[in-house]
Amino acid sequence: MAEVINMPRLSDTMEEGVVAKWLKQKGDKVEEGDILAEIETDKATMEFESFYDGTLLHIGIEEGETAPVDTLLAIIGEEGEDISELIKGGGDADDDEKDEKKDKKEEESDSDKDEDDTDGEDEADSDGDGEDGIPEGVEIITMPRLSDTMEEGTVASWLKKEGDKVEEGDILAEIETDKATMEFESFYEGTLLKIGLEEGETAKVDSLLAIIGPEGTDVSNVSVDGKSKKKSSEKSDKKDDKKEDKSEEKEESKSSEDKSSKTTKDGGRIFASPLAKKMAEDKGIDLSDVEGSGGNGRIVKKDIEDYKPSEKPAEAKSAGKEEAASAAPQPYVPAGEESFEEIKNSQMRKTIAKRLGESKFNAPHYYLTIEVDMSNAMASRKQINEMPDVKVSFNDMVIKASAMALRKHPQVNSQWTGESMKIAKHIHMGVAVAVEEGLVVPVLKFADQMSMTQIGNNVKDVAGKARNKKLQPKDMEGSTFTVSNLGMFGIVEFTSIINQPNSAILSVGTIVEKPVVKNGEIVVGNTMKLTLACDHRTVDGATGAAFLKTLKTYMENPVTMLA
């Protein structure tokens, strides 16, 4: 029997998805676990696998198309099976839903007319607005919540301007959240009547972002809550007229600025759809060489498909070199002059500041440091890495030893909730990774069950994703303990701020060659300092010390980790 597959909800905030790419075609054999398609959600592009065996009989959403959650995506069944009723059923359901919405809209319209007829004075005051003050056909768009932790957003760029026509599915703007810069598309058709936030401005979730409606509609009195701002006197009317005149002058000035800055944007930021970016990456095409046919020069799928590489004229190359050579040198700054460069905080930087501030100020931190003899660890690592296709780092050994020590000291693997202390039975190791915008902590789940080689491979994988901005929210959730390593920078020892809700974080320093005493003699040794930051609400000093003692035993005798 054929199985109907609908657009899945791949995140808790997902309302619709875009089919970025089909990895199976109509008529292909499909087995349970096969990847059917890559689907772009509100957070990331994710692989979607099949839960059924059979033949792909029908594709309901083509590549690049957007559809709400639970829309017919595909049908899998036996080869040659009749699925016309299933396809027709999906269509009828959609039609019924549209008719229902249409009837509901007509009922609301009739209701509004009845209220207008019975209250002529209100009708005159509101200039034809509905009871809630919103003109007919006008839609208010607020700052969307694009991630589960987002509290405010910044408009990175507008891809539509006031007065532009907008179709459902058009990209209105690029919005910077606490995790990434994401495209925000319109769910309505009409004219962009008002922009509530300019480029570079930051606002809370649900603040007024834009207003879309019929061309020529007056929305000057519409606020974010939909209420009409009523005029109180002729004096205020005159003030409004003056403001309107100034507003028009400002708009004309802004329009000319936009025209002059467009060349700057063309030379800098490149606007392209996610699908076009992926296709360009797969084909090795430099997006800066592609001319976009979408709104504001945006590059779309068709532009990548039609792209043909061409050589730049020799004159242009020569002119470019001359222009670069004639660029004016930076002005000399006299010694002693005070100056600052102001860099606007990204959403990721704001989130890091907020979370670490909350941890430092709310959790009573204390620190324990221990020095480890690394002679045996260095010898063991050398022997392990002589094996073919095996590469283990000292950090991998620290993560493995920490995971095993947590198994023996579960109270360090805990969380403080106010009413109770939760001790995790599982061990999920957070690994601090530095990226250009700040710091992220991807998670190795059930790390105590991994070998050092598996830990090394997984750390490389998540670190690569972090630096390429391909980490998904699920990759950074659920840690029970964190390891931060600055040894590769020559840092001997340091203290870290606890990554809450964890109760502890381990800071790893570099290996130092120095004189040590062994068997009553001074010899050359190699040591490494480990510092444990603990939350005193959950981890007492003796508990933290016992954990470090076990960790030191594992590091100084790596063979015990294999027992």
Side-chain angles (χ1 to χ4, degrees):
M1 181 178 176
E3 298 288 350
V4 174
I5 301 172
N6 293 329
M7 174 66 75
R9 188 182 300 277
L10 297 175
S11 75
D12 52 351
T13 57
M14 177 178 171
E15 295 181 357
E16 61 181 11
V18 179
V19 177
K21 185 178 182 181
W22 279 102
L23 302 182
K24 295 287 184 181
Q25 303 301 321
K26 186 176 177 181
D28 285 358
K29 293 291 184 183
V30 178
E31 294 185 0
E32 183 178 351
D34 284 355
I35 304 300
L36 287 177
E38 292 181 347
I39 295 179
E40 183 183 339
T41 73
D42 57 337
K43 294 182 177 178
T45 300
M46 306 173 71
E47 293 180 337
F48 176 59
E49 66 181 50
S50 173
F51 300 103
Y52 309 106
D53 294 332
T55 300
L56 184 56
L57 303 175
H58 176 72
I59 289 178
I61 305 171
E62 297 298 330
E63 288 186 1
E65 290 185 351
T66 304
V69 170
D70 293 332
T71 303
L72 176 62
L73 179 66
I75 298 177
I76 292 177
E78 296 180 4
E79 188 173 0
E81 186 175 352
D82 182 12
I83 57 171
S84 56
E85 289 300 319
L86 292 176
I87 299 173
K88 184 180 177 184
D92 291 343
D94 291 342
D95 293 340
D96 291 343
E97 188 177 349
K98 289 178 182 176
D99 292 341
E100 186 178 338
K101 287 182 179 177
K102 186 177 179 183
D103 293 341
K104 188 175 180 182
K105 195 170 183 180
E106 289 176 354
E107 287 175 11
E108 291 174 354
S109 177
D110 293 340
S111 175
D112 290 343
K113 284 182 181 178
D114 291 341
E115 289 178 11
D116 290 343
D117 291 341
T118 57
D119 197 350
E121 292 180 8
D122 290 344
E123 183 179 359
D125 290 340
S126 63
D127 296 330
D129 294 349
E131 188 179 0
D132 59 0
I134 305 177
E136 185 177 354
V138 168
E139 299 290 349
I140 295 178
I141 300 172
T142 57
M143 175 66 73
R145 188 182 299 279
L146 296 174
S147 76
D148 51 352
T149 57
M150 177 178 171
E151 295 180 358
E152 62 181 13
T154 302
V155 177
S157 65
W158 279 101
L159 303 183
K160 295 287 185 181
K161 301 190 295 295
E162 285 190 9
D164 285 358
K165 294 290 184 183
V166 178
E167 299 286 336
E168 183 177 347
D170 283 357
I171 304 299
L172 287 178
E174 291 186 331
I175 295 177
E176 183 185 347
T177 73
D178 58 336
K179 293 182 177 176
T181 300
M182 307 173 73
E183 294 178 334
F184 176 60
E185 67 180 52
S186 173
F187 301 104
Y188 309 106
E189 295 181 359
T191 299
L192 183 55
L193 302 174
K194 180 177 180 179
I195 287 177
L197 287 174
E198 297 299 329
E199 290 185 0
E201 289 186 347
T202 301
K204 298 285 186 184
V205 169
D206 294 332
S207 300
L208 177 63
L209 182 63
I211 299 177
I212 291 177
E215 186 176 3
T217 305
D218 180 13
V219 294
S220 58
N221 293 329
V222 178
S223 62
V224 67
D225 59 0
K227 302 297 182 185
S228 178
K229 303 173 186 173
K230 299 200 174 180
K231 303 170 186 173
S232 58
S233 65
E234 290 180 4
K235 190 175 179 181
S236 66
D237 287 345
K238 291 177 182 178
K239 286 183 180 179
D240 289 340
D241 290 340
K242 288 180 181 179
K243 287 179 183 176
E244 191 172 335
D245 292 340
K246 288 181 181 179
S247 171
E248 287 175 2
E249 290 174 10
K250 196 173 180 181
E251 284 298 321
E252 289 174 7
S253 172
K254 183 185 167 192
S255 175
S256 63
E257 285 175 8
D258 286 344
K259 287 176 183 175
S260 64
S261 65
K262 189 170 183 180
T263 55
T264 307
K265 288 186 179 180
D266 290 344
R269 194 179 189 88
I270 298 172
F271 298 106
S273 70
L275 181 58
K277 290 178 184 176
K278 183 169 181 60
M279 291 175 63
E281 183 180 352
D282 293 342
K283 294 184 177 182
I285 297 174
D286 186 349
L287 286 174
S288 62
D289 295 334
V290 182
E291 185 175 348
S293 62
N296 293 319
R298 187 165 179 264
I299 300 171
V300 295
K301 175 184 176 184
K302 185 176 182 297
D303 299 325
I304 302 298
E305 292 175 338
D306 296 344
Y307 173 73
K308 293 179 181 178
S310 58
E311 285 292 327
K312 294 182 180 178
E315 293 85 359
K317 290 182 180 178
S318 175
K321 288 180 181 178
E322 290 174 6
E323 187 177 335
S326 63
Q330 292 295 322
Y332 171 72
V333 180
E337 180 178 340
E338 295 182 356
S339 63
F340 297 91
E341 179 186 3
E342 189 169 319
I343 301 174
K344 193 176 179 72
N345 290 327
S346 66
Q347 292 302 314
M348 179 182 285
R349 176 56 59 188
K350 289 179 183 178
T351 301
I352 291 170
K354 180 181 177 183
R355 299 281 168 79
L356 294 184
E358 289 174 349
S359 176
K360 185 67 175 177
F361 301 141
N362 293 332
H365 286 53
Y366 72 92
Y367 306 95
L368 302 171
T369 301
I370 198 166
E371 193 166 17
V372 178
D373 182 356
M374 293 295 289
S375 302
N376 289 338
M378 293 172 71
S380 297
R381 176 176 177 264
K382 183 178 179 181
Q383 289 179 336
I384 293 171
N385 287 344
E386 286 175 354
M387 299 170 62
D389 302 324
V390 174
K391 184 73 173 176
V392 171
S393 69
F394 291 114
N395 195 56
D396 302 333
M397 299 176 81
V398 172
I399 293 172
K400 177 63 176 177
S402 299
M404 294 183 68
L406 286 173
R407 186 57 70 195
K408 290 195 172 185
H409 303 277
Q411 194 164 336
V412 181
N413 199 44
S414 62
Q415 298 177 5
W416 175 263
T417 64
E419 297 298 326
S420 63
M421 180 172 66
K422 295 167 62 177
I423 297 178
K425 300 295 184 182
H426 55 279
I427 295 174
H428 291 351
M429 302 292 290
V431 182
V433 176
V435 295
E436 187 176 345
E437 295 83 1
L439 186 73
V440 293
V441 185
V443 179
L444 302 183
K445 296 189 176 180
F446 307 105
D448 58 318
Q449 300 175 23
M450 297 182 188
S451 66
M452 279 186 277
T453 305
Q454 291 169 331
I455 288 174
N457 291 336
N458 284 322
V459 168
K460 288 175 188 173
D461 182 47
V462 295
K465 285 183 179 179
R467 295 188 181 101
N468 293 324
K469 300 181 180 180
K470 291 186 178 180
L471 276 180
Q472 299 182 18
K474 65 178 183 180
D475 297 327
M476 298 180 281
E477 296 171 351
S479 68
T480 60
F481 184 88
T482 305
V483 173
S484 179
N485 191 339
L486 293 179
M488 66 286 291
F489 299 107
I491 303 301
V492 177
E493 64 177 306
F494 65 103
T495 59
S496 301
I497 298 175
I498 297 169
N499 180 34
Q500 290 198 334
N502 298 174
S503 287
I505 182 171
L506 185 71
S507 305
V508 183
T510 191
I511 298 174
V512 178
E513 186 178 42
K514 67 177 187 178
V516 296
V517 177
K518 284 188 178 181
N519 301 321
E521 296 181 356
I522 298 177
V523 297
V524 176
N526 292 277
T527 65
M528 180 174 71
K529 289 187 177 181
L530 302 174
T531 300
L532 185 69
C534 303
D535 184 343
H536 219 318
R537 296 174 300 181
T538 51
V539 182
D540 295 326
T543 304
F547 170 83
L548 280 180
K549 184 178 179 181
T550 302
L551 177 60
K552 177 181 169 77
T553 300
Y554 283 134
M555 290 300 299
E556 291 185 341
N557 303 280
V559 69
T560 59
M561 288 190 277
L562 306 175

